[in-house]
Amino acid sequence: MPDEPQDQHDSVGAWAKKYYLTSRALIESVLREHDLGPTQWYVLYQLANVSATKQRDLSQLLNIERATLSGVVATLVRKGLVAQVADEVDQRQRILSITDAGRALWAELPDPVGRATALSFDGVDAADLEVARRVLREATQRLVEHMAGPGSAGA
Amino acid sequence: MPDEPQDQHDSVGAWAKKYYLTSRALIESVLREHDLGPTQWYVLYQLANVSATKQRDLSQLLNIERATLSGVVATLVRKGLVAQVADEVDQRQRILSITDAGRALWAELPDPVGRATALSFDGVDAADLEVARRVLREATQRLVEHMAGPGSAGA
DNA sequence: GACGTTTCGTTTGCTACCTGACAATAATTG
DNA sequence: CAATTATTGTCAGGTAGCAAACGAAACGTC
C-alpha cells in the first residue's frame, strides 16, 4: 500500500505506516542475504527457541491464516529447514520441527527484529514511548470494534 | 508479516504494525465491495482529483516500485477505468488518465482512508497525537539513516 | 456403527509488494 | 554520427497475505 496523498501525509496513521514499512524493509534486506522472508524467520525462531509446534498453534501465535502458513511451511520444508509430520494421535494435525540444517542456519542468523527495535527506540523517553503505544493501541481497538460491530464489513 | 513473538508483543513497534494492518484490513474490506485494491484506489484518486500523471511520477507519489505500479495500472486498464498512452515527446514514458467509466465509478466511491483516520484518531488528545507522531517519525528517520549509511543493506 | 458437523491443512485464485533482468528509448559523450 | 549510459516500463520469480472450496480425519449423536 502506498503513502496517503498529501492531505494526511503527516498524521500519526501515516507515520505508523511509514515506520512499519521501513522497519520491514530493513528486516527483509538483512534476511534476504540468507534467502529467508520475515515470516519464515519467525517460524524458525519459534521452532529453534521454543519447541516443536503444531501448525495450528503456530498460525495463532503468528497471527496469520492457516492458508498463509501452509505456504510458508511448504517453502521451509522444500528448503529442508523444517520437518512436517502428522500427529500420532490426531492425524489431521501437523507437527513442525526444525531440522539439523535449519538449526545450523539459525545459528548464523542475526536477530533483525531485535536490531530494528533497538535502533528505533533505544534512548527514547520512556513516557513518550508509553504515550505512543497507548495512542496506537486505542486506535487499533477502535478499528477492530468498528469492524466487528456495525455494518460488519466482514474482513 | 506476522506479529512478533511474545517478547515484544506490546511494544510501540508491534502496535504500529498492528495499527497499520488493521486499518489496511478495514480499508480493503470497504474497497472490496467495489472490486478495488487500495493501490488502485490511490491511482484513481490521483487521476480523478489531481490530473493525468506520468507513470514514473506516480510511482514516486505513491512510494511504490515501478514494477509494482506497472501491474496495478495493467489491472486498471483492463477494467477500463484508466487509459495509458505513450508520451508524445518521450516515448518511454506513459501518461495515465482516468476514463469516463473511471470517473463514474469514482463518483460513487467512499473515502475509506479518511474514514479510517477519523475513526482512529478523532477525539484523541492533540498533545498525545503529537507525541506519537514524533516518536514514529524519529524512529523511522533513524531506520532510514541506518539503511542509507553503514552496511548500506540496499533495500 | 452410520450420518452430519467441526477442525485442520491444502489448493486455488486473487491482491500487493519486492528484486533482478531485460528491451526500448533518450540523453550524453567521444 | 556511433557508442555508451541512463531512464522507463515490463516481465519473471519470490514473499506474504486473504477468502473460498475441498478432502481427510475426528467427534457427536443417535
Side-chain angles (χ1 to χ4, degrees):
Chain A
M1 187 140 76
D3 283 340
E4 270 102 16
Q6 298 92 336
D7 257 339
Q8 316 135 292
H9 220 282
D10 199 34
S11 69
V12 174
W15 280 108
K17 178 195 302 188
K18 242 176 240 175
Y19 170 74
Y20 168 67
L21 291 176
T22 305
S23 73
R24 185 186 162 118
L26 173 57
I27 290 169
E28 284 180 350
S29 78
V30 171
L31 289 177
R32 188 157 26 245
E33 295 162 28
H34 303 274
D35 284 308
L36 280 181
T39 305
Q40 294 173 45
W41 184 86
Y42 281 127
V43 171
L44 246 33
Y45 171 96
Q46 175 71 17
L47 299 183
N49 292 357
V50 185
S51 72
T53 309
K54 287 173 193 155
Q55 196 160 325
R56 180 203 42 167
D57 297 338
L58 199 50
S59 81
Q60 290 181 314
L61 277 170
L62 302 188
N63 242 32
I64 59 178
E65 295 299 311
R66 283 170 300 148
T68 302
L69 184 56
S70 185
V72 172
V73 167
T75 302
L76 288 169
V77 168
R78 181 171 47 74
K79 290 179 183 171
L81 304 175
V82 161
Q84 183 192 44
V85 297
D87 186 296
E88 289 287 306
V89 188
D90 184 342
Q91 297 274 236
R92 291 171 306 180
Q93 297 189 141
R94 300 296 145 88
I95 295 175
L96 303 178
S97 56
I98 193 167
T99 64
D100 290 345
R103 212 172 281 281
L105 175 62
W106 183 254
E108 58 184 50
L109 284 179
D111 174 357
V113 175
R115 281 219 281 150
T117 302
L119 197 55
S120 302
F121 301 120
D122 272 8
V124 176
D125 183 84
D128 287 354
L129 284 180
E130 178 53 32
V131 170
R133 181 166 62 197
R134 179 168 47 75
V135 166
L136 291 171
R137 178 162 30 84
E138 290 172 356
T140 305
Q141 196 184 335
R142 270 188 289 274
L143 293 179
V144 169
E145 278 163 9
H146 178 264
M147 283 193 289
S152 193
Chain B
M1 185 143 75
D3 284 340
E4 271 99 17
Q6 299 93 333
D7 256 341
Q8 319 137 287
H9 223 283
D10 198 34
S11 68
V12 174
W15 280 109
K17 177 194 304 185
K18 243 176 239 175
Y19 170 74
Y20 168 67
L21 292 176
T22 305
S23 72
R24 183 185 163 121
L26 173 58
I27 290 169
E28 284 180 350
S29 78
V30 171
L31 289 177
R32 196 167 6 252
E33 296 163 27
H34 303 273
D35 284 310
L36 282 180
T39 306
Q40 295 174 43
W41 185 86
Y42 281 128
V43 171
L44 246 33
Y45 172 96
Q46 174 71 17
L47 299 182
N49 293 356
V50 185
S51 72
T53 310
K54 287 173 192 153
Q55 196 161 323
R56 179 205 42 170
D57 297 337
L58 200 50
S59 82
Q60 289 180 315
L61 277 170
L62 301 188
N63 242 34
I64 58 178
E65 294 300 311
R66 284 170 300 150
T68 302
L69 183 56
S70 186
V72 172
V73 167
T75 302
L76 288 169
V77 168
R78 182 171 46 73
K79 290 181 184 170
L81 304 174
V82 161
Q84 182 192 44
V85 297
D87 185 295
E88 288 287 307
V89 188
D90 185 341
Q91 298 273 252
R92 291 171 305 182
Q93 297 189 138
R94 301 296 146 89
I95 295 177
L96 304 179
S97 56
I98 192 168
T99 64
D100 290 345
R103 213 173 281 282
L105 175 62
W106 182 255
E108 57 184 50
L109 284 180
D111 174 359
V113 175
R115 281 220 280 150
T117 303
L119 195 56
S120 302
F121 301 119
D122 273 7
V124 176
D125 183 85
D128 286 354
L129 285 181
E130 179 52 32
V131 169
R133 180 165 64 196
R134 180 169 46 77
V135 166
L136 291 170
R137 178 162 33 83
E138 290 172 356
T140 304
Q141 196 184 335
R142 272 188 288 273
L143 293 179
V144 169
E145 278 163 11
H146 179 263
M147 283 192 289
S152 192

